[in-house]
Amino acid sequence: MMTPTKILLLGQQRSGKTSIHQFLFNDVPAKQTFFLEPSSRIAKHRYDTLIPLEIWDCPGNITLDSLGAALSEFSSIIFVIDIQDSYQQPIARMLDFFIAAYQENPLATLEVFVHKAESLAEDYKTENFRHIQQRVIDELFDTSQEYEQMPVNFHLTSVYDHSIREAFSRVLHKLIDSLPYLEDLLNVFCSNSQASKAFLFDIKSRLYVATDESPVDPGIHSLCCDYVRTLSAFGPLYKSVSTKDSRSFYPSAAVTLAQGSTLTYHLITPQLALLAMLHPGVFEERRGLLEYNVVFFREGVQEIAVVERDARAGNL
């Protein structure tokens, strides 16, 4: 079995840790996450995408002593803070973990999800988010100047929009050693296919594993997430009409948007799909070239996936 990359998911009780995990990886609807029971013990969840993940969902009262594992085992530590909560105690607990993790493994990524952003109006949301950021920076400086430059990343998140997928995608990118090669493949695809934007999506979670060098527009990202979800509903149909060798069957789809652009979907591996935004007219006029570029891209991603798998299996 491949060695998984471990992510530690922390936060106070009812901060939204379990909701985030269930929403992203088990497709629990946002409105139903409100009824989830809070974590009472550590739950370890395995999830396979381009790299295998093991996510530790911890109860709100977890401590460094009761964790039962060295922080150096974790490649990323995510602390979830309810944006409506009193910040003092969560930040104090968070910094206990972050400082200890930084001392054990300076390369671990330290992430803060300021969560349940939908609960506040825009102005208050932005103000609280900035206040939490500044409070964390001040607390680190007051603890020791050694920690002033400790890399802590902040994300404003909600399960009621795609901000949580955007945030978790950015966490995932830092854990993928082959990310620069995936980005190069996407840049070449965009250049050769006249695509204004392209994402490599994990189909089930709708996290994007990589994207090209152009900035991520929230509106286009949301469109892609929704399109993947829509097409995923047809997964059983695709399987029923596929050939006996399902490995050679790669469904594709396209939809023309209001402004004339075309959003395309191509299956790359059983877990991953390429989503691309094409300029108006390109899909109709250069579809053959597009399909050729997709084949080239698919072969590149599949080779990278083999290298990732072999490296984790200890074959390299």
Side-chain angles (χ1 to χ4, degrees):
M1 181 179 290
M2 292 190 292
T3 304
T5 295
K6 293 182 180 180
I7 298 174
L8 188 61
L9 190 57
L10 302 167
Q12 301 289 85
Q13 187 172 342
R14 290 292 182 185
S15 60
K17 306 180 303 301
T18 302
S19 296
I20 288 171
H21 176 268
Q22 295 294 328
F23 176 77
L24 290 177
F25 300 108
N26 290 331
D27 208 24
V28 173
K31 291 182 179 179
Q32 291 184 21
T33 61
F34 180 80
F35 302 102
L36 293 172
E37 290 294 322
S39 302
S40 58
R41 57 187 176 84
I42 297 173
K44 302 175 185 179
H45 305 278
R46 180 72 179 249
Y47 187 81
D48 289 327
T49 177
L50 181 71
I51 61 173
L53 302 175
E54 186 175 278
I55 303 166
W56 289 34
D57 180 8
C58 298
N61 60 353
I62 198 78
T63 64
L64 289 166
D65 293 331
S66 62
L67 181 61
L71 289 175
S72 56
E73 293 182 23
F74 299 93
S75 299
S76 183
I77 300 177
I78 301 172
F79 199 98
V80 182
I81 295 179
D82 186 338
I83 198 170
Q84 304 173 95
D85 224 348
S86 173
Y87 309 143
Q88 187 172 356
Q89 188 178 3
I91 288 176
R93 291 191 65 248
M94 178 184 75
L95 292 183
D96 286 343
F97 277 93
F98 279 11
I99 290 171
Y102 183 68
Q103 291 172 338
E104 290 189 32
N105 178 17
L107 297 180
T109 67
L110 307 175
E111 315 285 344
V112 183
F113 285 6
V114 182
H115 196 49
K116 303 185 182 179
E118 78 286 346
S119 60
L120 296 180
E122 196 66 36
D123 290 347
Y124 290 110
K125 182 191 311 182
T126 304
E127 182 182 344
N128 285 19
F129 183 62
R130 289 175 179 168
H131 183 73
I132 291 172
Q133 285 182 284
Q134 192 59 52
R135 180 69 178 267
V136 171
I137 293 168
D138 291 345
E139 292 282 349
L140 284 172
F141 181 79
D142 291 344
T143 302
S144 171
Q145 291 188 14
E146 173 189 355
Y147 304 130
E148 186 182 6
Q149 300 303 318
M150 194 166 79
V152 180
N153 307 292
F154 296 85
H155 312 266
L156 188 61
T157 61
S158 171
V159 295
Y160 287 92
D161 57 31
H162 293 300
S163 58
I164 188 60
R165 289 196 164 88
E166 169 72 17
F168 215 103
S169 295
R170 293 187 180 278
V171 173
L172 179 59
H173 297 168
K174 299 167 190 173
L175 308 179
I176 300 174
D177 292 336
S178 57
L179 181 67
Y181 305 104
L182 293 170
E183 291 174 338
D184 285 345
L185 284 172
L186 285 160
N187 289 334
V188 170
F189 173 82
C190 286
S191 176
N192 292 343
S193 305
Q194 295 185 20
S196 58
K197 190 64 189 169
F199 295 95
L200 182 62
F201 266 89
D202 177 80
I203 298 168
K204 182 180 177 183
S205 66
R206 302 198 293 283
L207 301 177
Y208 64 93
V209 172
T211 187
D212 67 283
E213 63 188 359
S214 65
V216 175
D217 176 86
I220 291 177
H221 173 243
S222 295
L223 276 173
C224 291
C225 286
D226 292 340
Y227 197 40
V228 171
R229 181 180 183 179
T230 299
L231 292 176
S232 294
F234 294 96
L237 175 62
Y238 282 135
K239 290 178 183 176
S240 69
V241 300
S242 62
T243 60
K244 291 182 181 179
D245 183 6
S246 60
R247 291 171 296 177
S248 65
F249 181 70
Y250 297 106
S252 63
V255 61
T256 301
L257 305 176
Q259 69 271 33
S261 298
T262 303
L263 179 60
T264 62
Y265 169 105
H266 289 85
L267 189 69
I268 301 301
T269 74
Q271 294 84 26
L272 304 174
L274 172 66
L275 276 287
M277 186 69 70
L278 303 180
H279 295 294
V282 171
F283 183 72
E284 293 80 5
E285 297 167 10
R286 308 186 67 181
R287 187 167 182 177
L289 178 61
L290 172 68
E291 297 295 340
Y292 173 83
N293 292 336
V294 169
V295 170
F296 178 83
F297 178 83
R298 181 181 291 120
E299 290 174 349
V301 172
Q302 291 178 350
E303 287 177 10
I304 290 171
V306 170
V307 171
E308 286 277 5
R309 184 175 64 247
D310 289 348
R312 288 172 182 271
N315 294 333
L316 292 182

